[in-house]
Amino acid sequence: MTRLTTAQALVRFLSRQYTERDGERRRLIDATWGIFGHGNVAGIGQALLEYADDMPYHQGRNEQAMVHAAVGFARQSGRLAAQAVTTSIGPGATNLVTGAALATVNHLPVLLLPGDTFATRPADPVLQQLEVPYAGDVSVNDCLRPVSRYFDRITRPEALIPAALAAMRVLADPVDTGAVTLALPQDVQAEAYDWPDAFFDERVWGVRRPAPDPRELHEAVRAVRAARRPLLVAGGGVHHSRAEEALKEFADATGIPVASTQAGKGSLRWDHPSDVGGIGHTGTATANELARTADLVIGVGTRYTDFTTASGTLFGSGGVRFVNLNIAAFDSHKMAALPLVADARTGLEELTAGLRGHRAEPSYVMEYTDDKERWEYRVDACFTADDDLVHPTQPQVLGALDELVTEDDILINAAGSLPGDLHKLWRARSRDQYHVEYGYSCMGYEIPAAIGVALAAPGRPVWALVGDGTYLMMPTEIVTAVQENIPVKVVLLQNHGYASIGGLSASVGGEGFGTGYRFPAADGTYTGAPLPVDLAANAASLGMTVLRAKTVRDLREALSAARAADGPTCVYVETETADTVSGAPPAQAWWDVPVAETATRPSAVKAREEYDRHVTARRRRL
């Protein structure tokens, strides 16, 4: 037996947990992020100091941002390694909710350790305690229940043993992983207990690769062989499974075209003959036209979100069928599909073997090859810019970056108009270059996530691409990058407004209301000059090296200097203003945003007519 406080026991336990998949063994909890206040400073804080040699510690500036950093780390680590996040009670704990939801939506593991009010209630209420008149055992930490894959409150030291084991099981589970919350009352954290020594033994959690059921595999093979116009949709599960090579072998063997969701982009390199780019509302014309005429859709590791399906309007062929290869039975049955419940890599390998000798018809291959070539001409046109051009379009900024990067670089984005431009235009060169968080599409994700990715991939150039709206949500972790000299590269695009939602507002009759960063007029619109806000100066004030680019030539030089820099660096460029188009091709598929059914303003009346026209194309898969 070993006598330790509950917090000390937890830290020591976490330092001895491992995952293993395909012979690769990783420490499960790589480090702990923390912001200390009452509720964790005397418990977890003291324990992290006590076991500093066993558990690395990172200091954050915002609790939500710490979760984003941990999520970025977990994604870059292939979900084989994760990080913990500890906070005080009250606002420190509730600030975790958005990050927890993001982690759970994206099936990415993160361990949350919020402080909690006293279990023994010697003083009640305490500072920051929310009193609930109808339930004495509820605290603000209960907000984390619906966004966590596993939740427990440790009200006695001995309760930590089963809870900690359950938490590790969920973190290592390829289906059920996400945010895991262990709420820690501050008195219990500091309480001593005699722990069985076996609790601290090294423990390895195997990450499963379940194979498909033979009957389901047989049905899937039959469906693919019978299809004349098959299309494979690669989702994030391809990356989570590290199934990129298996997908390449499938595409090489069959010639079936491969489109990708936001989470799945990069599953094939952009220049692979079968890669037809992004699919759905933010997808390419090539992929979406194939989707409209496909008679079989093979979904691999995708959740079929509304952006992927164009809100149920994309897969329009009357007899289209679906085969869904997914490790989660819940997702494999979507779209009334033939389910193929299995690990993505194992399933693709067995599907390829079952299709030996089968190839897509040559005329079909020629059709999508020609369409892809035409699309790439459009990408080239979007990327091209004269050296002396001032205020380039957003795609022209991406084009300058496209000229510079290699397969080593990693791009991170999450919200605004950039995800749409990136999904359509970016030429992913490696399986992990494209890191766009679009499951939750959380503004403010990019900079902290870049820090987490850089910690997981030291030595690789990591780019956080942010618009002004996203930057203003959460620039705080710049200080963390400066403090720890993590050489993230931030590309800050200033267009003086919420350009993405402003464009959406205009298209649905909202006339851009409340989406500009300009002086407001009496009617709520924004007129006149942009606000006198200098975001580059703000980044510099937080310790970043900032390179201002006025022309495209300046931009190319600044990007090159940032890539070579050994410290955190920001490239600042003003692009076209928020009330102009981004320069990318328009959406190639619809997205359902309901428009006011009654209105007096002509813009809303016209938008409703357009909405009614599109909604008739929606199909339910039964």
Side-chain angles (χ1 to χ4, degrees):
M1 307 290 283
T2 302
R3 191 165 181 80
L4 301 171
T5 68
T6 303
Q8 292 165 355
L10 176 58
V11 171
R12 187 175 177 187
F13 169 85
L14 293 177
S15 72
R16 299 182 179 189
Q17 306 303 303
Y18 297 85
T19 60
E20 186 171 22
R21 184 178 66 183
D22 305 330
E24 179 185 0
R25 176 168 152 156
R26 295 284 302 271
R27 177 163 155 166
L28 177 51
I29 304 300
D30 170 84
T32 296
W33 288 87
I35 296 176
F36 294 113
H38 92 94
N40 71 337
V41 65
I44 290 291
Q46 190 282 329
L48 288 169
L49 174 63
E50 189 87 11
Y51 289 99
D53 292 339
D54 297 326
M55 178 61 69
Y57 167 73
H58 301 301
Q59 184 182 48
R61 267 75 193 177
N62 177 285
E63 291 87 357
Q64 178 182 320
M66 293 193 297
V67 185
H68 292 336
V71 166
F73 177 90
R75 174 166 167 169
Q76 187 62 33
S77 301
R79 304 195 300 180
L80 297 178
Q83 293 178 327
V85 177
T86 180
T87 72
S88 62
I89 69 173
T94 52
N95 279 351
L96 295 173
V97 174
T98 297
L102 181 147
T104 297
V105 164
N106 289 284
H107 301 289
L108 292 167
V110 59
L111 177 61
L112 308 180
L113 304 173
D116 212 331
T117 54
F118 286 87
T120 53
R121 306 181 193 175
D124 192 35
V126 297
L127 178 65
Q128 298 179 332
Q129 179 177 342
L130 173 68
E131 293 183 274
V132 181
Y134 63 83
D137 62 345
V138 171
S139 79
V140 295
N141 281 329
D142 289 272
C143 294
L144 288 160
R145 287 182 184 271
V147 293
S148 298
R149 286 293 186 183
Y150 178 81
F151 179 98
D152 203 348
R153 178 176 281 111
I154 313 303
T155 56
R156 289 293 307 143
E158 56 267 36
L160 176 66
I161 295 175
L165 293 171
M168 298 304 103
R169 173 188 58 78
V170 174
L171 290 171
D173 192 300
V175 178
D176 289 332
T177 195
V180 169
T181 300
L182 297 180
L184 302 170
Q186 57 179 319
D187 50 346
V188 178
Q189 289 181 49
E191 186 175 346
Y193 181 76
D194 292 323
W195 302 90
D197 291 333
F199 184 55
F200 306 115
D201 289 346
E202 288 191 359
R203 192 180 302 265
V204 179
W205 302 84
V207 180
R208 301 182 300 279
R209 287 196 181 277
D213 175 82
R215 182 189 62 80
E216 291 183 350
L217 179 63
H218 175 71
E219 292 297 319
V221 168
R222 283 184 58 189
V224 177
R225 287 188 177 274
R228 303 291 298 275
R229 299 183 63 82
L231 172 67
L232 189 144
V233 176
V238 175
H239 292 310
H240 293 331
S241 175
R242 289 291 190 260
E244 297 90 356
E245 187 60 32
L247 178 60
K248 178 180 181 298
E249 291 173 0
F250 174 90
D252 289 342
T254 65
I256 292 174
V258 176
S260 56
T261 68
Q262 284 280 12
K265 191 174 172 75
S267 295
L268 285 183
R269 276 184 58 106
W270 75 275
D271 53 0
H272 188 282
S274 292
D275 181 73
V276 294
I279 193 168
H281 179 65
T282 54
T284 69
T286 306
N288 286 342
E289 189 56 33
L290 291 172
R292 292 184 181 100
T293 59
D295 59 359
L296 180 72
V297 178
I298 308 164
V300 182
T302 178
R303 298 186 297 129
Y304 288 107
T305 65
D306 60 342
F307 261 55
T308 297
T309 67
S311 298
T313 65
L314 186 56
F315 304 107
S317 178
V320 64
R321 302 176 68 198
F322 292 80
V323 170
N324 289 343
L325 168 55
N326 203 299
I327 197 168
F330 175 77
D331 290 315
S332 68
H333 284 83
K334 289 178 178 177
M335 311 296 282
L338 292 172
L340 188 59
V341 182
D343 168 73
R345 194 184 80 178
T346 303
L348 279 169
E349 289 171 347
E350 296 203 16
L351 191 58
T352 303
L355 292 168
R356 188 173 289 111
H358 174 78
R359 284 193 62 81
E361 295 181 1
S363 60
Y364 183 51
V365 175
M366 184 176 296
E367 174 190 332
Y368 73 70
T369 299
D370 291 345
D371 283 349
K372 176 182 176 178
E373 185 175 354
R374 284 190 288 271
W375 181 260
E376 291 303 327
Y377 284 133
R378 296 180 71 178
V379 174
D380 288 337
C382 290
F383 280 178
T384 301
D386 293 334
D387 280 351
D388 295 327
L389 177 67
V390 178
H391 295 167
T393 65
Q394 190 165 269
Q396 288 170 333
V397 174
L398 297 179
L401 189 58
D402 177 78
E403 294 173 3
L404 177 68
V405 301
T406 71
E407 63 182 14
D408 286 339
D409 295 69
I410 302 169
L411 275 64
I412 300 168
N413 184 243
S417 56
L418 271 165
D421 289 355
L422 286 163
H423 199 207
K424 288 190 194 84
L425 305 175
W426 188 256
R427 291 161 169 166
R429 294 157 172 81
S430 67
R431 63 168 178 79
D432 60 356
Q433 179 172 89
Y434 188 88
H435 181 137
V436 173
E437 188 286 300
Y438 216 55
Y440 212 50
S441 188
C442 185
M443 295 177 72
Y445 172 80
E446 293 88 345
I447 294 174
I451 293 172
V453 170
L455 291 173
R460 294 181 62 180
V462 179
W463 301 86
L465 309 183
V466 297
D468 46 62
T470 288
Y471 178 86
L472 286 167
M473 284 281 181
M474 199 169 292
T476 52
E477 297 316 302
I478 287 175
V479 178
T480 300
V482 170
Q483 174 177 295
E484 302 201 16
N485 196 36
I486 301 171
V488 295
K489 297 93 173 57
V490 175
V491 180
L492 174 53
L493 295 89
Q494 169 66 285
N495 59 17
H496 302 286
Y498 296 114
S500 174
I501 208 67
L504 178 62
S505 173
S507 72
V508 297
E511 302 177 32
F513 176 74
T515 62
Y517 293 166
R518 299 180 178 220
F519 294 99
D523 63 357
T525 60
Y526 290 81
T527 59
L531 294 174
V533 175
D534 190 341
L535 298 185
N538 177 263
S541 75
L542 297 177
M544 251 195 166
T545 298
V546 177
L547 307 173
R548 294 176 184 256
K550 183 175 182 181
T551 66
V552 170
R553 180 185 291 106
D554 296 339
L555 175 63
R556 292 191 176 105
E557 292 173 356
L559 291 172
S560 180
R563 190 174 188 274
D566 57 6
T569 305
C570 174
V571 175
Y572 174 87
V573 57
E574 289 199 41
T575 62
E576 288 186 326
T577 55
D579 54 0
T580 60
V581 297
S582 76
Q588 305 296 304
W590 187 59
W591 181 41
D592 188 350
V593 178
V595 177
E597 195 166 1
T598 61
T600 59
R601 298 181 74 89
S603 60
V605 173
K606 182 179 178 181
R608 181 66 196 198
E609 292 172 355
E610 185 72 4
Y611 178 83
D612 289 339
R613 182 179 68 83
H614 279 292
V615 80
T616 59
R618 183 174 7 243
R619 298 287 182 269
R620 290 194 182 275
R621 303 294 165 188
L622 299 172

